Amino acid sequence: MTTTTTLDRLRAIVRPDALSGSAHSTAGYLDLLPPPSDQPQRGAQRAMNNPAVVAVYEGPWRWGQTVAYTGITPAAERRRAAAALQLRGTQRLLDVACGPGNFTKYLGRQLDQEGLAVGLDFSEPMLRRAVRTNVADSVGYIRADARTLPFDDGSFDAVCCFAALYLVPEPFKVLDEMMRVLTPGGRIAVMTSCTRGPAPLRSVSVTLAALGGLHGFDRSDITSVLRAADFRDIDQEVRGLSQFVSAIKG
């Protein structure tokens, strides 16, 4: 379980105003939100809060999803993420929509004990599993809304979101927040959906995805946002129905 020391480190980097009210850590992660039942949810969010989904997500669900959409295994995906983020030493990493923390823990192992990998998610069941199965000395978890990240500008040396940005409401607002909390010179990495084919087919795909609470990203959606925000060394790899994008904040 996440140690008290790790929880203290999490509190130290959260904005003081976000720690007021209902903030607590009795489940082993820092919880900054009211219960999910108090907030509206879309179909995709309800699935990620379903204990049955959580039970298989870290194993067969995630493995099948990754291979089907990207053509590579989760292990290869994690190695690609680590290479893009170039984590080292005492850096801070934020893993947005971390789920059960399988990426968070792996990436946290690239850091020294003085470094910190923070997994952030909305789902209580996902975070409960994360603190049971994916903790380490340099890893801690926070329940918060990714649309209003509870951190000051430039709080992290690296920020990532893997196979989740298309699941969240207002994904471009989440992307803006990810860029905001990244320090100049820091690295961002995103793996998300990518619509393919002729324009009419892409339009139908986006419409069908939206019915289930999902967002179908066009090939240029992520890169154009990063370019407009003066990110440099933008790299994009499209595989299957997914895209992996990495860049450095200018």
Side-chain angles (χ1 to χ4, degrees), residues 204-247:
V204 170
S205 298
V206 170
T207 300
L208 291 175
L211 293 176
L214 308 176
H215 186 90
F217 287 97
D218 193 74
R219 186 175 185 135
S220 63
D221 284 346
I222 305 295
T223 55
S224 62
V225 170
L226 294 172
R227 195 169 292 112
D230 294 327
F231 276 66
R232 57 185 173 84
D233 296 348
I234 300 172
D235 183 71
Q236 181 185 47
E237 179 185 2
V238 177
R239 296 178 63 99
L241 296 175
S242 74
Q243 58 181 309
F244 182 90
V245 181
S246 62

Side-chain angles (χ1 to χ4, degrees), residues 76-137:
E77 186 185 8
R78 288 192 292 268
R79 290 194 296 270
R80 179 174 65 174
L85 293 169
Q86 297 186 17
L87 298 168
R88 62 190 181 278
T90 61
Q91 290 183 324
R92 288 180 183 167
L93 162 76
L94 177 63
D95 183 10
V96 174
C98 67
N102 37 345
F103 267 85
T104 318
K105 182 179 180 180
Y106 179 86
L107 295 172
R109 285 176 169 170
Q110 317 302 312
L111 303 171
D112 295 342
Q113 288 191 0
E114 297 303 313
L116 182 63
V118 179
L120 183 143
D121 206 280
F122 174 87
S123 168
E124 291 178 302
M126 285 290 189
L127 291 172
R128 284 196 294 268
R129 187 167 184 90
V131 299
R132 287 199 307 270
T133 62
N134 284 310
V135 292
D137 290 341

Side-chain angles (χ1 to χ4, degrees), residues 33-49:
L33 296 176
S37 58
D38 294 347
Q39 303 175 51
Q41 297 181 52
R42 305 186 309 171
Q45 284 183 302
R46 286 194 295 270
M48 294 302 106
N49 275 286

